[in-house]
Amino acid sequence: MNYFRILTGALLVGVLSVGCKQTNTEAKSEETLSIENMGRTISFNKKLENVVVFDVGAMENMAELNIPFKGMAKVYSPNFLAKYADDESIENVGSFMQPNYELVSSVNPDLIIMSSWFDKDYPEFSKIAPTIALGIAGSNYLASTKENLKTLGQVFQVVDKTDKLIENIDHKVEHMKSVISKSDAKAMLILYNSKSYSVFSENSRYGYIFNDLGIKPAVVGLEEGSDHGNVVSSEFILEHNPDIIFIIDRGLVMENRHADKKDVENPLIQKTNAYKNGKIIYLDPNAWYLAGGGYISLNMMLDELAQAYK
């Protein structure tokens, strides 16, 4: 028996085997992408085909970028995403508050994009597919929106396109700041819900309109309160007498009914400067309440705010 030949053959097989492992590892590395998200390192295939989306901001950003998704939270999706909500080829996987994990799994996703507001759902999502979380961090609305775009640019390898959208946002914000800085008007942003008023402060989810755009608040020093603002009375609103009142009608999107204008603009509200000057502006709750952190809704919000300064 030729032991030298046997030994040489074994060594050759070993070398080939190691070479194959290295090649496979390199190939796998070339096919996958890793990003840091919410303190986690998330790895997924670079070629994404079946994406499921629960974050509304991510949906609208993907829509703006013409990036398809196979599943979405259609419940309570804003009207400007109706094209996707009505598309039967896109699976309805529940709502961002109540995911249907069975339906999510049926899509066989290679990536799930969830809302950072509901991080409790991450363990279940991550059992199904790699999962990233996007959304708004506290009162850092503008910064979060741009960060969401940056993340999607990395995930879908369209950084040039997302950089352009971020540039558009920056230009629009600078223009708004310039216009607003010339006004001394003080404003109040109110969520109206079933004859109840809630005011949002500089530290709220909508704080960016004061902190980043320079809108002057009629009320200073309010605590952050909840995501639904600080509940106040008509007397409180009149006491602080805003020159501009922005109204978000929650019932329009949650109960599909318009608030009665007579209830909103009651006799006390009619004594405010805002009412007298025709500066009570009703905002689209699809953009302000249902959405968050997306390019489409942010542009809608900025356009509506600009109406008060014409």
Side-chain angles (χ1 to χ4, degrees):
M1 182 179 294
N2 191 330
Y3 291 101
F4 177 77
R5 183 180 297 173
I6 293 172
L7 179 60
T8 302
L11 288 172
L12 181 60
V13 169
V15 169
L16 289 174
S17 176
V18 170
C20 287
K21 288 180 180 178
Q22 289 176 339
T23 302
N24 289 339
T25 301
E26 290 171 0
K28 185 175 181 180
S29 177
E30 291 174 358
E31 294 172 359
T32 60
L33 185 68
S34 296
I35 67 166
E36 296 299 316
N37 176 256
M38 299 292 285
R40 310 178 183 105
T41 300
I42 311 298
S43 299
F44 47 87
N45 291 332
K46 284 184 178 179
K47 187 178 180 181
L48 295 170
E49 296 180 348
N50 296 337
V51 179
V52 171
V53 193
F54 280 88
D55 180 70
V56 179
M59 290 179 207
E60 56 184 277
N61 286 337
M62 291 172 70
E64 181 69 23
L65 294 163
N66 292 315
I67 297 172
F69 38 89
K70 293 288 186 178
M72 66 179 281
K74 294 187 177 183
V75 181
Y76 298 128
S77 62
N79 59 5
F80 54 82
L81 291 177
K83 169 185 173 182
Y84 302 91
D86 295 339
D87 188 339
E88 294 183 358
S89 69
I90 299 175
E91 185 69 52
N92 180 9
V93 290
S95 75
F96 49 85
M97 294 179 288
Q98 293 182 313
N100 187 318
Y101 298 115
E102 186 176 345
L103 288 176
V104 173
S105 184
S106 72
V107 176
N108 193 27
D110 37 33
L111 181 70
I112 298 169
I113 302 176
M114 61 174 285
S115 170
S116 57
W117 288 353
F118 300 95
D119 199 46
K120 63 179 178 57
D121 296 321
Y122 179 81
E124 288 300 320
F125 280 137
S126 62
K127 292 176 186 177
I128 300 171
T131 302
I132 63 171
L134 299 178
I136 299 301
S139 61
N140 298 318
Y141 195 98
L142 280 178
S144 296
T145 300
K146 292 192 283 187
E147 192 60 36
N148 290 343
L149 282 166
K150 286 181 182 178
T151 300
L152 289 178
Q154 294 174 336
V155 169
F156 295 102
Q157 301 159 71
V158 289
V159 173
D160 289 347
K161 292 181 179 180
T162 51
D163 282 350
K164 179 60 179 175
L165 296 184
I166 292 169
E167 183 181 336
N168 293 345
I169 290 172
D170 288 338
H171 284 319
K172 196 163 192 173
V173 167
E174 287 304 313
H175 175 70
M176 289 279 295
K177 287 169 64 177
S178 175
V179 172
I180 292 168
S181 67
K182 298 171 185 175
S183 171
D184 293 325
K186 294 182 178 180
M188 193 176 283
L189 178 61
I190 294 173
L191 179 73
Y192 184 81
N193 183 35
S194 300
K195 298 186 179 182
S196 174
Y197 305 94
S198 296
V199 174
F200 290 94
S201 71
E202 307 100 296
N203 300 314
S204 71
R205 60 193 283 195
Y206 303 118
Y208 82 95
I209 76 168
F210 307 113
N211 303 323
D212 295 305
L213 300 181
I215 291 177
K216 298 169 181 65
V219 185
V220 179
L222 278 178
E223 294 183 4
E224 182 176 345
S226 70
D227 287 337
H228 294 85
N230 298 271
V231 177
V232 298
S233 63
S234 300
E235 288 82 1
F236 177 93
I237 297 171
L238 176 58
E239 178 188 348
H240 292 86
N241 196 17
D243 303 302
I244 303 168
I245 296 177
F246 296 109
I247 299 283
I248 303 170
D249 179 6
R250 182 179 181 272
L252 182 57
V253 288
M254 300 306 290
E255 300 171 16
N256 197 31
R257 60 175 177 80
H258 283 276
D260 190 329
K261 202 170 182 180
K262 292 179 181 178
D263 291 332
V264 180
E265 301 174 16
N266 64 36
L268 287 175
I269 300 301
Q270 290 178 21
K271 293 181 180 180
T272 64
N273 290 338
Y275 180 86
K276 293 174 183 177
N277 298 328
K279 292 292 185 178
I280 295 183
I281 296 174
Y282 289 81
L283 305 173
D284 187 342
N286 284 277
W288 287 83
Y289 190 77
L290 291 183
Y295 183 79
I296 295 174
S297 60
L298 177 59
N299 275 280
M300 293 171 66
M301 295 163 90
L302 294 175
D303 288 343
E304 289 186 328
L305 291 171
Q307 294 177 22
Y309 297 89
K310 291 180 178 179

Short mmCIF file of all heavy atoms in Angstrom, two decimals, residues 44 47 60 76 92 101 119 126 140 210 243 249:
data_model
loop_
_atom_site.label_atom_id
_atom_site.label_comp_id
_atom_site.label_asym_id
_atom_site.label_seq_id
_atom_site.Cartn_x
_atom_site.Cartn_y
_atom_site.Cartn_z
N PHE A 44 -29.74 40.25 6.86
CA PHE A 44 -30.79 39.76 5.96
C PHE A 44 -30.24 39.70 4.54
O PHE A 44 -29.16 40.23 4.25
CB PHE A 44 -32.01 40.70 6.02
CG PHE A 44 -31.66 42.16 5.93
CD1 PHE A 44 -31.53 42.79 4.70
CD2 PHE A 44 -31.42 42.89 7.08
CE1 PHE A 44 -31.18 44.12 4.62
CE2 PHE A 44 -31.07 44.24 7.01
CZ PHE A 44 -30.95 44.85 5.77
N LYS A 47 -31.02 40.79 -1.54
CA LYS A 47 -32.11 40.77 -2.50
C LYS A 47 -33.41 40.48 -1.76
O LYS A 47 -33.73 39.34 -1.45
CB LYS A 47 -31.85 39.71 -3.58
CG LYS A 47 -32.87 39.74 -4.71
CD LYS A 47 -32.55 38.70 -5.77
CE LYS A 47 -33.58 38.74 -6.91
NZ LYS A 47 -33.31 37.72 -7.93
N GLU A 60 -44.98 54.62 3.50
CA GLU A 60 -45.05 55.77 2.60
C GLU A 60 -43.70 56.08 1.98
O GLU A 60 -43.62 56.51 0.82
CB GLU A 60 -45.63 56.99 3.31
CG GLU A 60 -44.92 57.42 4.57
CD GLU A 60 -45.62 58.59 5.25
OE1 GLU A 60 -45.38 59.73 4.83
OE2 GLU A 60 -46.39 58.35 6.20
N TYR A 76 -56.34 50.80 9.73
CA TYR A 76 -55.98 52.17 10.09
C TYR A 76 -54.86 52.75 9.23
O TYR A 76 -54.17 53.68 9.65
CB TYR A 76 -55.57 52.29 11.58
CG TYR A 76 -56.67 51.93 12.53
CD1 TYR A 76 -56.47 51.00 13.55
CD2 TYR A 76 -57.93 52.52 12.42
CE1 TYR A 76 -57.48 50.67 14.43
CE2 TYR A 76 -58.95 52.20 13.31
CZ TYR A 76 -58.72 51.27 14.30
OH TYR A 76 -59.72 50.94 15.18
N ASN A 92 -53.06 41.56 3.85
CA ASN A 92 -53.41 42.35 5.02
C ASN A 92 -53.00 41.57 6.26
O ASN A 92 -53.60 40.55 6.60
CB ASN A 92 -54.92 42.62 5.03
CG ASN A 92 -55.34 43.44 6.25
OD1 ASN A 92 -54.52 43.94 7.00
ND2 ASN A 92 -56.65 43.58 6.44
N TYR A 101 -49.75 37.28 13.38
CA TYR A 101 -48.49 36.60 13.13
C TYR A 101 -48.63 35.45 12.14
O TYR A 101 -47.71 35.17 11.37
CB TYR A 101 -47.90 36.08 14.45
CG TYR A 101 -47.58 37.18 15.44
CD1 TYR A 101 -48.27 37.26 16.65
CD2 TYR A 101 -46.62 38.13 15.16
CE1 TYR A 101 -47.99 38.27 17.56
CE2 TYR A 101 -46.33 39.15 16.06
CZ TYR A 101 -47.02 39.21 17.26
OH TYR A 101 -46.75 40.22 18.15
N ASP A 119 -42.27 47.82 20.32
CA ASP A 119 -41.09 46.96 20.36
C ASP A 119 -41.36 45.63 21.06
O ASP A 119 -40.63 44.67 20.90
CB ASP A 119 -39.93 47.69 21.04
CG ASP A 119 -38.59 47.06 20.70
OD1 ASP A 119 -38.36 46.78 19.51
OD2 ASP A 119 -37.79 46.83 21.63
N SER A 126 -39.27 38.40 15.11
CA SER A 126 -37.93 37.89 14.81
C SER A 126 -37.89 36.36 14.68
O SER A 126 -36.96 35.80 14.10
CB SER A 126 -36.93 38.34 15.88
OG SER A 126 -37.28 37.83 17.15
N ASN A 140 -38.32 64.19 18.54
CA ASN A 140 -37.35 64.36 17.45
C ASN A 140 -37.94 63.92 16.12
O ASN A 140 -37.41 63.04 15.44
CB ASN A 140 -36.07 63.57 17.75
CG ASN A 140 -35.38 64.05 19.01
OD1 ASN A 140 -35.27 65.24 19.24
ND2 ASN A 140 -34.93 63.12 19.82
N PHE A 210 -42.55 73.54 16.88
CA PHE A 210 -42.04 74.64 17.69
C PHE A 210 -40.51 74.66 17.69
O PHE A 210 -39.89 75.71 17.49
CB PHE A 210 -42.56 74.53 19.13
CG PHE A 210 -44.06 74.40 19.24
CD1 PHE A 210 -44.65 73.24 19.71
CD2 PHE A 210 -44.88 75.46 18.87
CE1 PHE A 210 -46.03 73.13 19.82
CE2 PHE A 210 -46.26 75.36 18.97
CZ PHE A 210 -46.83 74.19 19.44
N ASP A 243 -53.13 82.96 18.50
CA ASP A 243 -53.40 83.65 17.24
C ASP A 243 -53.70 82.66 16.13
O ASP A 243 -54.35 83.01 15.13
CB ASP A 243 -52.20 84.51 16.85
CG ASP A 243 -51.83 85.51 17.92
OD1 ASP A 243 -52.69 86.32 18.28
OD2 ASP A 243 -50.69 85.45 18.43
N ASP A 249 -58.52 66.36 13.90
CA ASP A 249 -59.79 65.72 14.21
C ASP A 249 -59.59 64.20 14.25
O ASP A 249 -59.61 63.53 13.23
CB ASP A 249 -60.83 66.11 13.14
CG ASP A 249 -62.19 65.47 13.37
OD1 ASP A 249 -62.38 64.80 14.42
OD2 ASP A 249 -63.08 65.63 12.51
#
